[in-house]
Amino acid sequence: MKIILLGPPGAGKGTQAKVLSQRLNLVHISTGDLLRQNVSKATQLGLEAKDYMNKGALVPDTLVTSMLSERFNQEDVKKGFILDGYPRTLKQAESLDVLLKEKQYKIDKVFYLDTSEKIVVQRLSGRLVCSKCSANFHKTNMPPKKDMVCDACGASLYQRQDDKEETIKKRLQVYQQESAPLIEYYKSKGKLVRVDSDQDANVVLEEIIRRSKENDTPKV
Ligand code: AP5
Ligand code: MG
């Protein structure tokens, strides 16, 4: 199965993708996580991407698409994948179509995690991320069992650079301008499935799993 998760920052793409990848035995590909790994290792790509990310702007399409293309060359992707944070522009969606064609892959469903702005701001301002495995927690919504320690791997948690109020606002603007048109793009291809992502994370998860198993053309 090949799935895309769409939705604004804070919709829960990363949270859902982590659990879904285990439940459905799929590879989780997060362009945000891949970029942050490059930034922390200070690779050439990381150095080029860092300022864009800290400002809440998008990293240029060509850089992100070549990073994704490399990831697609790895063997594990053949078993199926969840794309989290890519595509994010119409240009990227078109590049993805080309990459998929080359690999003879087909996207089954695109889940649009529809979330209100008020909820998104509350989620992002309290988010904590694992420095090792990138698992997401939240100071009040999903607190870790031990303060600032990851439940999954025991590494330390941190607050993302771009989860400051100013940057959150900028990321939401960028989402509306650049990424929201993807909803229509995938609707017109008959692939879009809308899920109310203001709900509890487990409710969202079960709805995605249930609808991923439906064979009919998705109803929006
Ligand atoms: P990226 O890392 O993809 O960030 P984003 O899209 O801004 O999304 P987030 O990770 O902030 O939100 P999420 O939907 O994953 O929410 P999460 O599950 O963490 O990208 C970062 C940057 O990298 C971009 O700004 C850009 O610069 C660059 N970049 C990445 N991809 C790119 C691309 N394709 N092109 C160009 N540039 C790119 O949840 C948020 C919080 O809410 C967590 O604390 C979680 O615990 C909590 N939570 C989640 N679900 C629920 C729920 N149902 N109820 C209560 N709390 C919840
Ligand atoms: Mg994320």
Side-chain angles (χ1 to χ4, degrees):
M1 189 180 298
K2 293 159 192 81
I3 289 174
I4 296 176
L5 298 184
L6 278 189
K13 302 181 296 295
T15 302
Q16 296 299 338
K18 278 243 175 272
V19 189
L20 277 172
S21 67
Q22 289 164 4
R23 291 271 300 262
L24 302 176
N25 190 28
L26 301 171
V27 177
H28 173 201
I29 304 177
S30 157
T31 45
D33 287 351
L34 290 173
L35 287 167
R36 278 183 291 278
Q37 283 162 18
N38 276 279
V39 171
S40 70
K41 287 182 194 151
T43 64
Q44 183 58 36
L45 170 62
L47 295 174
E48 288 182 58
K50 191 176 175 181
D51 284 347
Y52 294 103
M53 295 173 77
N54 286 345
K55 279 191 290 198
L58 292 182
V59 174
D61 289 336
T62 47
L63 291 180
V64 188
T65 299
S66 68
M67 179 180 77
L68 183 81
S69 166
E70 269 180 43
R71 185 66 186 87
F72 265 14
N73 285 333
Q74 291 172 24
E75 199 61 21
D76 59 348
V77 173
K78 286 187 182 153
K79 72 175 179 181
F81 54 80
I82 304 169
L83 280 180
D84 155 15
Y86 189 100
R88 238 182 174 90
T89 62
L90 284 172
K91 183 95 195 294
Q92 289 181 16
E94 285 159 12
S95 301
L96 177 63
D97 289 343
V98 175
L99 280 176
L100 291 169
K101 205 168 177 189
E102 276 170 19
K103 298 274 175 203
Q104 296 184 313
Y105 290 155
K106 191 173 115 324
I107 295 295
D108 297 289
K109 285 182 185 168
V110 178
F111 289 95
Y112 165 39
L113 305 187
D114 191 3
T115 322
S116 59
E117 190 163 324
K118 200 174 138 216
I119 294 249
V120 154
V121 174
Q122 188 273 350
R123 286 183 186 171
L124 293 181
S125 49
R127 172 166 57 188
L128 299 169
V129 184
C130 176
S131 53
K132 194 171 166 201
C133 73
S134 311
N136 289 304
F137 297 86
H138 189 281
K139 286 176 190 165
T140 53
N141 304 0
M142 299 178 187
K145 292 192 182 95
K146 206 171 152 198
D147 193 32
M148 296 306 276
V149 175
C150 177
D151 291 356
C153 75
S156 58
L157 303 181
Y158 73 101
Q159 191 150 23
R160 266 171 51 176
Q161 277 275 348
D162 58 351
D163 280 346
K164 294 188 209 110
E165 203 181 325
E166 276 301 295
T167 324
I168 293 172
K169 279 189 194 148
K170 168 79 180 162
R171 282 159 63 205
L172 286 170
Q173 277 170 10
V174 170
Y175 170 78
Q176 283 306 335
Q177 272 168 15
E178 303 285 346
S179 312
L182 294 171
I183 297 165
E184 278 308 314
Y185 184 82
Y186 287 112
K187 206 188 223 178
S188 70
K189 287 178 180 277
K191 301 217 182 252
L192 198 82
V193 180
R194 180 192 165 275
V195 175
D196 175 3
S197 200
D198 278 359
Q199 305 178 91
D200 178 87
N202 285 321
V203 175
V204 177
L205 176 73
E206 294 307 329
E207 188 170 341
I208 296 176
I209 291 178
R210 181 176 58 77
R211 299 198 65 183
S212 71
K213 290 176 180 157
E214 285 174 357
N215 283 328
D216 56 334
T217 310
K219 293 175 202 72
V220 182

